[in-house]
Amino acid sequence: MHGQRNGRSTRLAKGPAAARGVTVIELMVAMAVSLVIIGAATTLFMHNSTARKELDRVAHLHENGRYAIQLLKDEISLAGFYGELAPADVTGDVSIPCSDDIVEWRDSMAASVHGINAGGFVAGFGCVQTAAATAIGGTGMLFSQRASTIDTAADAALLNTAYLQVSRCSDAAGWSLATSGFNEDATGWAAADCDAFAPIRRYLRHIYFVDANNEAGDGIPTLKRLELRAGQLPAGPQTLVEGVEALRFAFAVDTNNDGSPDEFTEATPVDAVELANFLPNIMGIQIWVLARALEESPGYHDTKTYQLGGLAIDPDDGFKRHVFSTYVELINPVGRREQ
């Protein structure tokens, strides 16, 4: 259809409206809105990712702290376990944690634990610094000794490894702590029924300490364990838990020989006579573990004071921390006194 206007012929548009494109202004507005939405989504994603990483740091921190406490708890609760050895045979109160002399081991079995909180490496713990040059001497160290709860087959006994064998058979009563001679030729003490041979248990002596590094130079404080050996230097320390920054101990001491703690102290005697009277009377240990995140938290500054018994620690960095604590009874020393 055509119309006439001012003498000219024009073509009329068909449909509700003539088809047209998007103007530059509309396109720019749409792009701006899209950029705002994308920016908001990106910011939200980044915040969620940061929050997730922070949750992972804190969760890892708590997991490591709880695991460290559990390891120490298990070790302390079993300290002084000597299988079938009669209470009267558990003697010797002189503790030399770093000793490799099995005779000295036999002369210290009543001192099933030995711990220090003092700075530096006091007498008896020097092997820790020798085996781990970056071991931290200003935090707690704990020594424990016991027999394994698992029997060792006679043909599986290792050289330079101490084993405990106890007989309660009436015609062969006795016990031995030695590095050889256990049933290599099918001989040995009989067990309580005077029929089968007595169990052979590996003798375990460990020192727990904090190292400034997990691996050389990484700066991650780590709970490690040194295993003492008979007749030779200890092997390199075993890594147990990353992020453990400090240890502290308080010792529950029995002063009247009834198996119940009468006093708590964080100080280990230095005098040899006092130490010999102190160690066999430890019936329990209060443990404090300061765990630290493995990475710094962006924007976080730690100005808290962490109390580990009588020790206050004031860090000044971007790592998050938490103190874990528990009390552990030395089941075996307590049980021998309650009999």
Side-chain angles (χ1 to χ4, degrees), residues 86-101:
D89 291 330
V90 181
T91 59
D93 49 18
V94 178
S95 174
I96 307 176
C98 286
S99 171
D100 64 355
D101 186 344

Side-chain angles (χ1 to χ4, degrees), residues 2-319:
H2 292 77
Q4 189 73 25
R5 181 178 297 174
N6 297 328
R8 294 181 179 179
S9 175
T10 60
R11 184 180 299 274
L12 297 179
K14 296 182 179 181
R20 65 186 183 88
V22 179
T23 66
V24 173
I25 295 176
E26 291 173 333
L27 181 60
M28 293 178 64
V29 170
M31 291 177 62
V33 172
S34 299
L35 288 174
V36 170
I37 295 174
I38 292 173
T42 301
T43 301
L44 179 62
F45 174 79
M46 292 178 63
H47 285 174
N48 286 342
S49 178
T50 301
R52 178 65 182 179
K53 288 181 180 178
E54 190 61 28
L55 287 174
D56 288 343
R57 288 191 192 98
V58 174
H60 199 186
L61 160 67
H62 284 264
E63 180 182 356
N64 285 348
R66 287 192 293 267
Y67 183 46
I69 278 284
Q70 189 61 51
L71 283 176
L72 293 170
K73 183 178 179 180
D74 291 345
E75 183 70 22
I76 292 171
S77 63
L78 288 173
F81 170 74
Y82 301 126
E84 297 290 329
L85 194 62
D89 291 330
V90 181
T91 59
D93 49 18
V94 178
S95 174
I96 307 176
C98 286
S99 171
D100 64 355
D101 186 344
I102 199 167
V103 175
E104 292 178 341
W105 295 13
R106 288 196 292 264
D107 291 339
S108 69
M109 295 179 73
S112 55
V113 294
H114 187 169
I116 58 171
N117 291 312
F121 292 86
V122 301
F125 285 85
C127 60
V128 177
Q129 193 174 33
T130 301
T134 56
I136 300 176
T139 184
M141 296 185 186
L142 181 72
F143 163 78
S144 72
Q145 61 179 342
R146 62 181 175 90
S148 173
T149 57
I150 302 174
D151 297 350
T152 298
D155 58 0
L158 304 174
L159 295 176
N160 297 317
T161 302
Y163 295 90
L164 177 69
Q165 188 181 38
V166 180
S167 173
R168 301 264 57 93
C169 182
S170 59
D171 61 356
W175 64 278
S176 179
L177 175 63
T179 57
S180 62
F182 291 102
N183 292 347
E184 287 114 337
D185 55 357
T187 62
W189 280 317
D193 58 5
C194 299
D195 185 14
F197 287 115
I200 302 170
R201 302 180 186 275
R202 185 172 179 178
Y203 199 74
L204 305 173
R205 288 167 54 92
H206 295 140
I207 297 178
Y208 292 81
F209 66 97
V210 176
D211 198 309
N213 301 305
N214 176 20
E215 298 180 354
D218 64 7
I220 299 176
T222 302
L223 176 65
K224 295 187 178 182
R225 181 174 68 189
L226 199 64
E227 182 173 344
L228 287 307
R229 298 184 177 183
Q232 59 181 309
L233 294 175
Q238 176 187 4
T239 294
L240 299 178
V241 188
E242 291 180 307
V244 174
E245 193 170 44
L247 299 176
R248 187 80 176 177
F249 306 104
F251 307 100
V253 182
D254 174 20
T255 59
N256 58 9
N257 206 40
D258 65 355
S260 297
D262 299 301
E263 61 182 38
F264 279 79
T265 179
E266 297 178 31
T268 303
V270 177
D271 178 79
V273 175
E274 294 179 1
L275 187 64
N277 291 327
F278 174 78
L279 296 178
N281 292 314
I282 297 176
M283 297 292 111
I285 300 179
Q286 182 75 32
I287 313 168
W288 290 274
V289 172
L290 178 61
R292 194 205 77 179
L294 304 185
E295 299 175 347
E296 290 186 294
S297 297
Y300 176 76
H301 185 206
D302 192 355
T303 58
K304 300 176 183 177
T305 297
Y306 298 90
Q307 199 70 37
L308 283 68
L311 175 66
I313 297 178
D314 300 296
D316 184 19
D317 55 28
F319 292 96

